[in-house]
């Protein structure tokens, strides 16, 4: 295990740089996943209206109350000219008039006409009208089923409450969106720290003096390659545990060790193995000088993150970018993550995991071919 030990001696020598890279990666995870679905603010559509209740019945008062909960009622006495001016200058969305006999007609026929005056070129009046029609339709069904007017009006108002719908929707989707947000950025973070921490030690074995020393030793070439690969995997595993543990404890304590969490961790583990094999392949093309490792790391990590959907959701990517992204593991990691959070079957998720593994195997094959051509021999 001489090469294995030598690898970690080089890592120890560069520990300050690796610790800094790890800290930067942790900060990036915090910043990129800082805004979650629970912090989303929903703006409720509300307009100013004028309401004239000529019926003054229990039912008409319930309708006025419903309108007042959703919009701002301007009180006062308004002439036809003033109402027209308010509509023209968009100071109100609609003038609503409840005619006399409204309740009697509604109870008799299950519906009654409400007069509305609004600017037909503006959607605000149509929006208010639709709300009133929905309320009256629901109210009529409840009264027909035997409910009292007040009870039917209260339950209808509650069912049509926008804030209640938003709360339920946020509660059901908040965990899913938060999981996507936190783990969606991890491929970039993981690739950055693996490349930053492992590339320099690997390239160090390509230096002429160290290379010649290994050449004259009795160690077989294949053993050197195996020990380097094992060392890289151990270091990558350490980074994987730190990043995954931090991301889970930071935002997702409520889903830790659930089936969903285990599948996401498996997805990230397969991705980590794939990029580690890619790192091995890249290192075989760098002969001696390792001074450009930062540039290489940033080029690959940023490119893969942009075309693979780590920074921008895949559904927002253009068709050309998607076509390119299918050739990088980040794309299939994000596809698998979406499938996991949506609760799809393991067979569907397995296809994305397999494509990530295929990328890693292809990278390994390229690295072995490159190493063979450089050394003029085949690993045995």
């Amino acid at each position: 295990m001489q090469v294995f030990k030598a690898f970690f001696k080089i890592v120890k020598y560069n520990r300050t740089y690796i610790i800094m890279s790890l800290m930067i990666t942790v900060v990036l995870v915090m910043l990129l996943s800082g805004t979650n679905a629970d912090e989303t603010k929903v703006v409720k559509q509300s307009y100013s209206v004028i309401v004239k209740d000529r019926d003054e019945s229990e039912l008409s008062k319930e309708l006025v109350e419903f309108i007042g909960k959703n919009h701002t009622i301007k009180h006062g006495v308004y002439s036809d000219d003033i109402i027209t001016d308010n509509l023209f200058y968009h100071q109100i969305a609609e003038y609503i008039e409840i005619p006399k006999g409204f309740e009697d007609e509604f109870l008799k026929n299950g519906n009654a006409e409400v007069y509305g005056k609004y600017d037909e070129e503006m959607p605000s009046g149509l929006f208010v009208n639709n709300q009133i029609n929905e309320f009256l339709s629901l109210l009529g069904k409840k009264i027909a089923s035997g409910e009292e007017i007040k009870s039917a009006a209260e339950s209808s108002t509650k069912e049509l409450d926008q804030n209640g719908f938003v709360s339920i929707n946020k509660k059901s989707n908040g965990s899913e969106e938060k999981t996507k947000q936190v783990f969606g950025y991890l491929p970039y973070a993981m690739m950055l720290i693996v490349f930053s921490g492992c590339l320099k030690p690997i390239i160090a074995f390509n230096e002429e003096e160290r290379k010649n020393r290994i050449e004259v030793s009795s160690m077989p070439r294949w053993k050197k390659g195996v020990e380097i690969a094992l060392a890289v995997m151990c270091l990558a595993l350490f980074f994987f545990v730190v990043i995954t543990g931090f991301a889970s404890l930071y935002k997702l304590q409520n889903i830790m060790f659930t089936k969903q969490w285990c599948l996401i961790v498996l997805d990230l583990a397969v991705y980590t193995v794939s990029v580690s094999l890619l790192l091995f392949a890249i290192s075989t093309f760098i002969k001696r000088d390792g001074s450009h490792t930062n540039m290489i790391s940033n080029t690959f990590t940023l490119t893969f993150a942009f075309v693979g959907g780590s920074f921008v959701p895949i559904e927002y990517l253009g068709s050309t970018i998607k076509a390119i992204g299918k050739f990088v593991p980040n794309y299939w990691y994000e596809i698998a993550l979406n499938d996991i959070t949506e609760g799809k079957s393991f067979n569907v998720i397995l296809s994305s995991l397999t494509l990530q593994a295929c990328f890693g195997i292809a990278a390994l094959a390229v690295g072995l071919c490159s190493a063979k051509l450089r050394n003029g021999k085949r690993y045995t």
Side-chain angles (χ1 to χ4, degrees):
M1 302 292 285
Q2 294 177 351
V3 174
F4 184 89
K5 293 178 181 177
F7 180 91
F8 280 99
K9 284 183 180 179
I10 299 170
V11 169
K12 185 178 179 181
Y13 179 78
N14 293 298
R15 64 183 180 276
T16 303
Y17 172 76
I18 293 173
I19 291 172
M20 287 180 60
S21 299
L22 188 60
M23 290 176 64
I24 291 171
T25 304
V26 168
V27 172
L28 279 174
V29 172
M30 293 175 65
L31 292 176
L32 292 174
S33 61
T35 305
N36 57 57
D38 291 339
E39 295 169 348
T40 303
K41 293 182 179 179
V42 179
V43 179
K44 181 180 176 181
Q45 291 287 2
S46 179
Y47 300 101
S48 294
V49 295
I50 296 175
V51 179
K52 180 65 176 177
D53 184 6
R54 297 188 181 277
D55 194 42
E56 295 290 338
S57 62
E58 182 183 5
L59 186 61
S60 65
K61 289 178 181 178
E62 292 294 344
L63 176 57
V64 173
E65 185 178 347
F66 170 77
I67 296 170
K69 286 182 177 180
N70 290 278
H71 304 283
T72 302
I73 297 178
K74 296 181 70 172
H75 299 282
V77 179
Y78 299 92
S79 64
D80 291 343
D81 290 338
I82 293 176
I83 291 172
T84 301
D85 288 342
N86 274 266
L87 288 170
F88 179 80
Y89 292 109
H90 301 151
Q91 293 177 347
I92 62 171
E94 185 176 11
Y95 167 70
I96 303 164
E97 184 176 313
I98 304 173
K100 191 169 183 61
F102 168 77
E103 181 180 304
D104 294 337
E105 184 181 350
F106 191 90
L107 294 176
K108 180 180 179 180
N109 302 321
N111 199 0
E113 185 178 354
V114 175
Y115 172 74
K117 185 178 181 181
Y118 57 90
D119 186 349
E120 294 182 357
E121 295 182 358
M122 299 298 294
S124 54
L126 290 171
F127 176 75
V128 175
N129 260 350
N130 287 337
Q131 280 189 320
I132 293 173
N133 291 335
E134 287 179 6
F135 174 76
L136 293 177
S137 176
L138 189 59
L139 182 65
K141 292 177 182 178
K142 291 181 180 296
I143 291 176
S145 67
E147 285 191 46
E148 297 292 330
I149 292 177
K150 186 172 184 61
S151 173
E154 288 177 354
S155 59
S156 298
T157 302
K158 186 176 181 180
E159 288 181 30
L160 295 175
D161 183 22
Q162 294 180 27
N163 291 329
F165 170 77
V166 169
S167 299
I168 294 170
N169 191 50
K170 283 175 65 181
K171 185 176 180 180
S172 62
N173 293 332
S175 178
E176 177 184 325
E177 291 302 319
K178 190 192 294 185
T179 303
K180 286 183 180 180
Q181 196 162 32
V182 173
F183 278 94
Y185 293 113
L186 288 192
Y188 170 72
M190 187 59 62
M191 192 173 187
L192 178 64
I193 189 61
V194 168
F195 270 55
S196 300
C198 299
L199 192 55
K200 280 188 176 181
I202 294 176
I203 293 174
F205 285 93
N206 292 336
E207 294 176 1
E208 196 67 29
E209 182 180 350
R210 186 175 280 106
K211 185 178 178 180
N212 290 336
R213 196 180 304 163
I214 295 173
E215 289 286 342
V216 299
S217 68
S218 59
M219 178 181 292
R221 290 180 180 276
W222 66 266
K223 189 175 181 181
K224 171 201 167 185
V226 168
E227 290 192 19
I228 291 177
L230 182 61
V232 171
M233 293 304 297
C234 288
L235 189 57
L237 178 62
F238 169 74
F239 295 145
F240 169 79
V241 171
V242 172
I243 297 299
T244 304
F246 173 78
S248 299
L249 291 171
Y250 178 60
K251 288 284 186 179
L252 303 171
Q253 297 181 18
N254 58 320
I255 69 162
M256 284 186 68
F257 304 110
T258 62
K259 180 182 177 181
Q260 184 187 68
W261 182 84
C262 292
L263 287 173
I264 293 173
V265 170
L266 174 63
D267 186 23
L268 187 61
V270 174
Y271 175 84
T272 303
V273 173
S274 298
V275 296
S276 298
L277 295 174
L278 173 65
L279 176 64
F280 166 73
I282 293 171
S283 68
T284 62
F285 289 94
I286 304 173
K287 294 183 177 179
R288 299 179 186 177
D289 187 7
S291 60
H292 302 300
T293 54
N294 289 338
M295 183 187 71
I296 294 170
S297 298
N298 291 328
T299 299
F300 275 91
T301 53
L302 289 173
T303 301
F304 277 39
F306 277 115
V307 303
S310 298
F311 289 158
V312 180
I314 289 176
E315 56 267 26
Y316 297 140
L317 296 177
S319 56
T320 304
I321 299 297
K322 282 184 180 179
I324 298 172
K326 290 179 181 179
F327 292 95
V328 301
N330 296 54
Y331 181 89
W332 299 109
Y333 170 89
E334 298 295 340
I335 292 291
L337 178 63
N338 291 339
D339 291 341
I340 293 168
T341 53
E342 290 171 10
K344 293 186 179 179
S345 66
F346 182 72
N347 289 336
V348 175
I349 300 165
L350 184 61
S351 62
S352 298
L353 298 179
T354 303
L355 287 168
Q356 290 183 65
C358 288
F359 176 89
I361 293 170
L364 176 62
V366 171
L368 291 173
C369 290
S370 173
K372 174 191 170 184
L373 292 173
R374 283 184 53 197
N375 294 314
K377 296 180 181 180
R378 184 187 298 272
Y379 283 114
T380 59

